[in-house]
Amino acid sequence: ALGRVEVVSCQVQERDATVYAAIGDAQLAKQRAEHSEEAADDHAVARDAAEEREREMMRALDAYREQSAQEMALQQERHDLELSRIQAEKDAQWQEKVEEVKQEAEARVQDKEQECAGLRGQLSDIHLEREASLAKRREASVNTEETGGGQ
């Protein structure tokens, strides 16, 4: 009977060991499941954080694109203003040159008008001298005829 108690005792111990092993396995499985759930939760949190970072990066990229577009527009506006300023300077220089040439032309016209007036005066003097000379000749001719034929 003692042998049988030992066998039963051995079987109980084996069963206890099996039960403890099963309990240990169950606890390990439970811990793994908990870790797995925690890992899944951590993964979900990490995924959400990554998605939020991606959205932030897209917002930053959109803001950068908008800022770049505004800077390009401002640069184009500055360029256009500079071109307008240069064109205005050229127009002013051109207008100045036109005015200078116009004044020179007007001065030449006045000089020519004065020259013409002087020539008209000389021509008038020449006509007067000629008429005076013709009048003297006529008078001399008339006097010659009256005195007897100029002998």
Side-chain angles (χ1 to χ4, degrees):
L2 234 170
R4 196 168 174 135
V5 170
E6 286 179 11
V7 171
V8 171
S9 177
C10 233
Q11 287 176 347
V12 169
Q13 286 177 357
E14 284 177 12
R15 218 177 309 142
D16 285 349
T18 304
V19 169
Y20 287 132
I23 291 172
D25 289 345
Q27 286 176 342
L28 279 174
K30 181 180 174 188
Q31 286 175 350
R32 283 185 192 143
E34 287 172 355
H35 287 300
S36 202
E37 286 175 14
E38 287 174 9
D41 289 346
D42 290 347
H43 178 71
V45 168
R47 185 186 66 238
D48 291 347
E51 288 174 354
E52 182 58 31
R53 278 194 302 272
E54 182 181 3
R55 285 190 292 274
E56 288 174 8
M57 294 299 288
M58 291 304 290
R59 285 191 294 270
L61 181 60
D62 290 344
Y64 173 76
R65 286 178 181 159
E66 178 65 26
Q67 182 182 3
S68 293
Q70 289 174 354
E71 287 174 2
M72 286 177 64
L74 284 173
Q75 189 174 16
Q76 183 64 42
E77 189 174 331
R78 283 187 205 113
H79 179 73
D80 292 347
L81 287 172
E82 181 65 14
L83 287 178
S84 294
R85 183 191 64 77
I86 290 169
Q87 188 62 45
E89 285 178 6
K90 285 182 179 181
D91 290 348
Q93 290 172 350
W94 181 252
Q95 189 61 35
E96 209 174 278
K97 187 67 176 173
V98 165
E99 193 60 36
E100 184 180 308
V101 168
K102 183 179 172 184
Q103 288 175 357
E104 289 174 3
E106 287 174 358
R108 284 195 304 270
V109 166
Q110 287 178 353
D111 290 346
K112 293 297 179 183
E113 285 176 350
Q114 288 175 355
E115 188 179 329
C116 286
L119 290 174
R120 276 191 231 112
Q122 289 176 0
L123 186 58
S124 178
D125 291 346
I126 291 171
H127 282 302
L128 289 175
E129 287 175 15
R130 186 170 173 232
E131 285 181 24
S133 175
L134 287 174
K136 283 182 183 178
R137 280 191 208 157
R138 276 190 227 125
E139 190 178 310
S141 174
V142 168
N143 286 340
T144 304
E145 288 178 12
E146 289 177 2
T147 57
Q151 292 182 337

